[in-house]
Amino acid sequence: MAFLAEIGTAYGRDRGSLTDSTGSPPADWIANGRYLLPETVRRLETIMKARRIGPDEVAAEFGYADQGFALARALLQKGSLRLAVIAALARWLAAQDLPKAGND
């Protein structure tokens, strides 16, 4: 019963408030296995347009500069990404929600 209660509690929470053991949002909130979820693709496209950057720059920012082409393919053709790349992208997306210092 405690397990079911915890699942119900976790399921009802705002996803942005939950993190994994490393303090990062779980990668399964942005991808289904190795494939980005449609809402993740839309969010990435919105961020990239607003900042006027492309997949190469995004990949470099989250620490996988050599994965720009794979990220572009994942966005445009629903290609797969390495799980480590998805985890790094989840952390990067969470950081995009943080308020910028000095913007009071």
Side-chain angles (χ1 to χ4, degrees), residues 47 51 53-65 88 91-92 96 100:
I47 292 168
R51 293 185 53 201
I53 60 174
D56 287 331
E57 292 87 359
V58 171
E61 284 186 15
F62 66 71
Y64 285 87
R91 289 188 298 274
W92 182 84
Q96 301 309 300
K100 303 288 185 207

Side-chain angles (χ1 to χ4, degrees), residues 20-39:
D20 65 12
S21 61
T22 65
S24 299
D28 63 348
W29 288 353
I30 69 159
N32 182 6
R34 295 176 174 264
Y35 300 91
L36 297 178
L37 296 173
E39 56 267 19

Side-chain angles (χ1 to χ4, degrees), residues 43-44 47-69 71 84-97 100:
R43 185 166 174 221
L44 274 167
I47 292 168
M48 290 188 319
K49 285 178 188 175
R51 293 185 53 201
R52 299 178 193 256
I53 60 174
D56 287 331
E57 292 87 359
V58 171
E61 284 186 15
F62 66 71
Y64 285 87
D66 63 332
Q67 295 296 305
F69 180 78
L71 181 58
V85 171
I86 290 173
L89 179 59
R91 289 188 298 274
W92 182 84
L93 283 169
Q96 301 309 300
D97 292 337
K100 303 288 185 207

